[in-house]
Amino acid sequence: MGYAIRFENVTKRYPRGGPRYASLRHDFSEGVRRAGRRLAGQRNEGRGPIALEDLSFEIEEGESYAIVGPNGAGKTTALKLISRISYPTSGRVKVRGRVGALIEVGSGVHPELNARENIWLYGQIMGMSKADVRRRFDEIVEFAELGHALDRPVKMYSSGMQLRLGFAVASHLDPDIFVVDEALAVGDAGFQAKCVERMMKLVAEGRTLLFVSHNLSAVEAVCERGVFLLEGRVQSVEEISPLLRSYLQWTDDHQLKRLEGGVTPVGSAYLELDKATCHDSRGVERYAFSTGDDVEIRLHLRALQPLSYPHVSIGISDGRPGNLALCSMLVDGGAPEVLEGRTVVSCKLRSIPLLPRVYYLCASVRSEHAYGDVFDWQSVGSFRVADAPGLVGPAAQAHASTDGAIYIQHDWEVK
């Protein structure tokens, strides 16, 4: 089996912004600039932003393939090169077969035409005969669920209706390669599930699928392999589970770097926090753990005046409202008789039941009467859970890092 898509040292540089309208003055000045660089022995390098740089990877025929990466990584640009909407500045993009693409809402449909006319137009653009389009027509209308609006101009459709029509047309008119971008995010949950079923059916029929989405659960369930792009360059090309692990690890590392030095707790007239540190069971300072590890959180405090029976609380969250866990002397007791000078308050967490992602630490200190904060509740630090046991399901990496944060040991039994 050969390749369906091949990128060979592809670079895409968008032109630098010039005047809104072409002018002889602008063209003349640019020509003089280029001539001057040539006379000086310098190369006339492009001056616009680079979207893709020296990109090389290959997608086999009949393969379901993902492109993952953060916003601005070059994912949509790569799809536009495959669809011939745009062309590379250098290098070659080889494509074998007919491409059906849904890169953005409304792509592939003309707003002035109605749904019926758009289906016929798209089929002709794809090089299909009238008989083939006629044979597929009812199936497209049924999938899009737009029979009630078939003769209404597409410009009068909502974004969700445009998505239904675009996906139905692109996926049913016999594409050899089906390209889908993040446009699916516009659809409702039921239609998204319907689209995933359609994509898996196409792959089962031997078509090539290229899927770009921030819905990592869908990516992991549908795709076999993928490429991780970052700033227009290939970071890794591998099987989908380790690929998503690499991407999620980069995401967490990026988040931790953003948080480093960014948390500056606000002290009070009574108490200041110098720093909050995390340690493993041996006391070694670290900030990456595995599900089930012991974690020790140390608050390095400085009392500006002696405090009697201060009640310390530490909360853990994954960024969503509310705490996932709360360890508090208000509940457990254990408040020290007095806190003065520099003191380290340590809280040892046993076998943390947390799945991979970044977690945020918050803390507060209440007075001896458990009323009124001598150190206000606020963010004091963060740590990351990097690995978890038993991730073997079809969407394990994505679900563990985006859905429920708590891991409960369990067993399945079907009778």
Side-chain angles (χ1 to χ4, degrees), residues 359-372:
Y359 292 93
Y360 303 86
L361 296 173
C362 292
S364 73
V365 182
R366 287 275 183 95
S367 69
E368 64 177 311
H369 303 297
Y371 183 83

Side-chain angles (χ1 to χ4, degrees), residues 54-132:
D54 199 28
L55 210 65
S56 295
F57 64 91
E58 185 176 298
I59 304 172
E60 297 178 359
E61 290 180 343
E63 186 174 23
S64 52
Y65 202 88
I67 301 179
V68 300
N71 292 331
K75 304 185 297 296
T76 300
T77 298
L79 299 190
K80 288 182 177 180
L81 297 181
I82 294 167
S83 305
R84 298 292 189 262
I85 296 173
S86 180
Y87 292 89
T89 305
S90 63
R92 290 196 300 177
V93 180
K94 296 181 178 180
V95 179
R96 288 177 173 174
R98 189 161 51 194
V99 178
L102 185 68
I103 296 180
E104 58 187 26
V105 176
S107 63
V109 296
H110 195 292
E112 297 295 335
L113 303 179
N114 61 34
R116 187 188 307 274
E117 293 165 337
N118 268 293
I119 294 172
W120 285 102
L121 176 62
Y122 197 99
Q124 291 176 346
I125 292 173
M126 294 280 282
M128 300 181 67
S129 66
K130 290 184 178 180
D132 288 336

Side-chain angles (χ1 to χ4, degrees), residues 153-174:
V154 169
K155 66 181 180 181
M156 299 177 66
Y157 284 10
S158 67
S159 58
M161 293 170 70
Q162 290 182 35
L163 170 66
R164 287 174 181 269
L165 178 62
F167 187 94
V169 172
S171 63
H172 283 80
L173 292 181
D174 294 332

